[in-house]
Amino acid sequence: MVPKIASMASTRPLCSIPSIFLSFSLLFVVSLLFFFSNSLISNPNPIISHNTLQNGINVFVAELPRSLNYGLLEKYWSSSSPDSRIPSDPDHPTRKTHLPKPGKYPPYPENPLIKQYSAEYWIMGDLETSPEKRIGSFAKRVFSESDADVVFVPFFATLSAEMELGNGKGSFRKKNGNEDYQRQRQVLDFVKNTEAWKRSNGRDHVFVLTDPVAMWHVREEIAFSILLVVDFGGWFRQDSKSSNATSLPERIEHTQVSVIKDVIVPYTHLLPRLDLSQNQRRHSLLYFKGAKHRHRGGLIREKLWDLLVDEQGVVMEEGFPNATGREQSIKGMRNSEFCLHPAGDTPTSCRLFDAIQSLCIPVIVSDTIELPFEGMIDYSEFSVFVPVSDALTPKWLANHLRRFSEREKETFRSRMAKVQTVFRYDNGQANGIGPIEPDGAVNHIWKKVQQKVPIVKEAVIRERRKPAGASVPLRCQCI
């Protein structure tokens, strides 16, 4: 007698062919969904993959006359006139000295008003270094425009502007008798006649404008280019008639600068790095050194000063970063738990990066600040961000900072120590030529520029296919 279950099996198969096909189809769909979901999580930006970023960026250096970069440094060092804006100029003292004749690559000025903007010097120095020493450089220098992702314009725009300002002639905003304007015009006349500029209308050209007044007279002509700026404070003018003087208009026309195409870069720090192992007990709560009044703004700074100057544990010093001021700043920042960073002429300053090198926890009082390398670095891990409205409430700021425990402050400093290198330009060479730090500021700048390349290429292609005479209105794409 055949068992009942066997007879059932012989007349009714356990799995039909259609059901097998359906099972495999479901399994295939589930596998695809799992694969794509993992891909989207691991690579949230499909335009710029991790592999693309690791490959570096191809940079062609526009062949500007030497007089617009290293020749400008030679002109600076050959001058015997001290900077009219500071009481003692470390590069041009009032007593006559015999300065050494600069070589092919002169050093960058030590004058703190100029040194804080030296990004142009270190970026160019890396590109000028021989290929065998550029193993750790993210920017790959190419010598054909057709091989380039971007064209670097090697104009020392900041040095040019600061030399004009330092002369004290009062001609900076004028064009007649303004050597800086003449150099700006020379740069634009040169690059605009190149095939590279004509192909993209300058969109893939990179200008270093770390000084808020660099290339002041020709900004509209380079508005489409990739601009390396320390912040947007020198580009947008606040409406002085606004009922609330601490806020900017809700909508800003990005006809010149935008986080979409431009790159925020750090100021050059003026104070030396403090290693975490050298950190000692700090006796002050909050430290600030600088000018109380700023001629192009600084209203918030002045109010904060009046609120904090008599607060226990708070040190507010009026001063300038000359030789004496530098030593005071080193001592003050290394002796304080927190360092105040209010807006002045512009939303940010080199003071922020001095604080990071000093392991002094930055207290950033600004509602509109833009910071370097965001997306790569989370500043909230080692900085305290304070709304302007809270900071201007009497007693609020000092009491808020006192609530941080010792453990929290130690965590802030340990995280800060890990990013100190990110904000360093100096490669240890007096002439700026030589291998750069792979994790330093120069490479991080080029990585941010690389992220802009797909957007720039898209804009160039869109411009080419537009009908002749057609115009597209400018639209704010602020994010």
Side-chain angles (χ1 to χ4, degrees):
M1 183 175 179
V2 180
K4 187 175 182 180
I5 190 169
S7 63
M8 289 177 63
S10 61
T11 58
R12 184 179 179 184
L14 290 174
C15 210
S16 66
I17 292 177
S19 62
I20 293 174
F21 177 78
L22 179 61
S23 299
F24 276 108
S25 298
L26 288 171
L27 181 61
F28 178 72
V29 171
V30 170
S31 299
L32 281 177
L33 289 172
F34 179 79
F35 172 80
F36 282 115
S37 64
N38 279 345
S39 298
L40 290 171
I41 293 171
S42 61
N43 183 17
N45 187 345
I47 297 177
I48 308 168
S49 70
H50 179 73
N51 290 334
T52 301
L53 290 177
Q54 290 299 314
N55 291 336
I57 182 171
N58 291 336
V59 180
F60 177 80
V61 180
E63 298 176 358
L64 290 184
R66 179 182 170 83
S67 61
L68 296 171
N69 39 70
Y70 291 108
L72 196 55
L73 276 172
E74 292 169 353
K75 179 181 177 67
Y76 177 86
W77 288 113
S78 64
S79 170
S80 59
S81 301
D83 193 317
S84 62
R85 300 168 295 173
I86 54 178
S88 58
D89 182 349
D91 301 325
H92 304 100
T94 52
R95 59 184 176 83
K96 292 185 178 180
T97 58
H98 298 285
L99 294 174
K101 186 177 180 180
K104 182 179 179 182
Y105 299 106
Y108 206 75
E110 287 295 320
N111 179 340
L113 289 177
I114 304 177
K115 186 177 181 179
Q116 63 181 330
Y117 304 120
S118 64
E120 57 193 10
Y121 181 73
W122 301 107
I123 293 172
M124 185 60 179
D126 171 46
L127 294 169
E128 283 287 287
T129 299
S130 56
E132 65 274 9
K133 294 181 180 179
R134 301 191 67 247
I135 304 302
S137 298
F138 189 78
K140 312 301 178 185
R141 184 170 182 177
V142 296
F143 295 89
S144 172
E145 296 172 354
S146 60
D147 296 331
D149 294 313
V150 293
V151 176
F152 179 71
V153 182
F155 174 42
F156 288 173
T158 285
L159 180 61
S160 178
E162 289 295 331
M163 286 173 65
E164 188 68 29
L165 288 168
N167 287 334
K169 299 175 182 177
S171 61
F172 181 79
R173 294 180 181 274
K174 303 175 182 178
K175 295 182 179 180
N176 293 332
N178 185 341
E179 293 184 13
D180 177 43
Y181 168 71
Q182 294 171 8
R183 289 188 286 262
Q184 294 175 39
R185 191 71 266 153
Q186 187 179 357
V187 171
L188 266 295
D189 290 345
F190 179 90
V191 295
K192 281 188 169 184
N193 282 318
T194 63
E195 290 302 316
W197 181 280
K198 294 173 182 177
R199 283 197 300 267
S200 68
N201 198 23
R203 283 182 168 85
D204 56 0
H205 284 52
V206 179
F207 291 86
V208 186
L209 306 181
T210 48
D211 191 321
V213 297
M215 299 197 81
W216 181 270
H217 294 281
V218 297
R219 288 186 170 184
E220 290 186 4
E221 297 179 59
I222 59 174
F224 287 143
S225 301
I226 301 171
L227 309 178
L228 309 187
V229 296
V230 290
D231 58 38
F232 294 151
W235 297 76
F236 299 137
R237 182 178 294 276
Q238 184 174 333
D239 184 2
S240 60
K241 297 180 181 179
S242 173
S243 59
N244 182 2
T246 62
S247 63
L248 290 171
E250 291 183 3
R251 184 175 182 272
I252 297 174
E253 299 290 347
H254 83 284
T255 56
Q256 290 184 324
V257 286
S258 167
V259 291
I260 296 172
K261 71 174 184 66
D262 301 318
V263 175
I264 304 293
V265 305
Y267 283 81
T268 303
H269 62 84
L270 301 177
L271 303 187
R273 177 177 179 267
L274 175 68
D275 190 85
L276 186 60
S277 63
Q278 299 172 320
N279 184 59
Q280 298 180 357
R281 188 170 180 271
R282 295 168 182 252
H283 299 88
S284 299
L285 174 69
L286 181 65
Y287 178 77
F288 173 81
K289 183 176 182 66
K292 176 182 177 180
H293 173 72
R294 301 304 299 164
H295 59 284
R296 287 197 297 269
L299 178 62
I300 295 170
R301 181 188 293 190
E302 291 186 32
K303 290 184 176 180
L304 277 173
W305 189 293
D306 293 336
L307 286 172
L308 294 168
V309 67
D310 295 323
E311 188 74 43
Q312 185 178 359
V314 176
V315 179
M316 305 289 287
E317 293 180 345
E318 183 95 26
F320 191 79
N322 52 21
T324 304
R326 182 176 184 273
E327 294 305 314
Q328 291 174 342
S329 295
I330 292 174
K331 181 180 178 181
M333 284 193 169
R334 293 187 179 189
N335 191 50
S336 183
E337 300 281 9
F338 299 92
C339 283
L340 184 63
H341 185 72
D345 292 348
T346 57
T348 188
S349 71
C350 68
R351 188 177 296 105
L352 171 62
F353 308 101
D354 284 338
I356 292 172
Q357 298 303 320
S358 303
L359 297 178
C360 186
I361 303 166
V363 178
I364 300 174
V365 182
S366 176
D367 296 340
T368 58
I369 194 170
E370 297 288 350
L371 296 166
F373 314 140
E374 292 206 80
M376 298 175 174
I377 295 171
D378 184 352
Y379 285 81
S380 63
E381 292 186 345
F382 56 85
S383 305
V384 178
F385 288 86
V386 178
V388 171
S389 58
D390 287 342
L392 295 182
T393 302
K395 300 292 183 180
W396 187 93
L397 183 57
N399 290 335
H400 177 66
L401 298 179
R402 290 189 184 103
R403 294 191 188 101
F404 285 90
S405 67
E406 290 299 321
R407 184 173 181 179
E408 288 174 319
K409 289 182 286 189
E410 288 175 5
T411 301
F412 273 133
R413 278 192 286 272
S414 63
R415 290 172 177 169
M416 206 184 318
K418 294 178 181 178
V419 299
Q420 283 176 313
T421 304
V422 171
F423 303 108
R424 286 178 58 85
Y425 288 103
D426 198 324
N427 63 4
Q429 304 298 317
N431 62 2
I433 306 298
I436 61 171
E437 293 189 69
D439 294 328
V442 173
N443 269 355
H444 275 79
I445 289 171
W446 284 121
K447 288 178 182 179
K448 291 298 287 187
V449 172
Q450 212 280 344
Q451 293 178 11
K452 314 295 181 180
V453 170
I455 300 171
V456 170
K457 289 184 176 179
E458 179 182 325
V460 172
I461 293 171
R462 186 186 299 114
E463 186 70 21
R464 286 177 185 168
R465 57 85 174 156
K466 279 186 354 184
S471 63
V472 177
L474 294 172
R475 298 183 179 91
C476 183
Q477 303 175 32
C478 307
I479 55 174

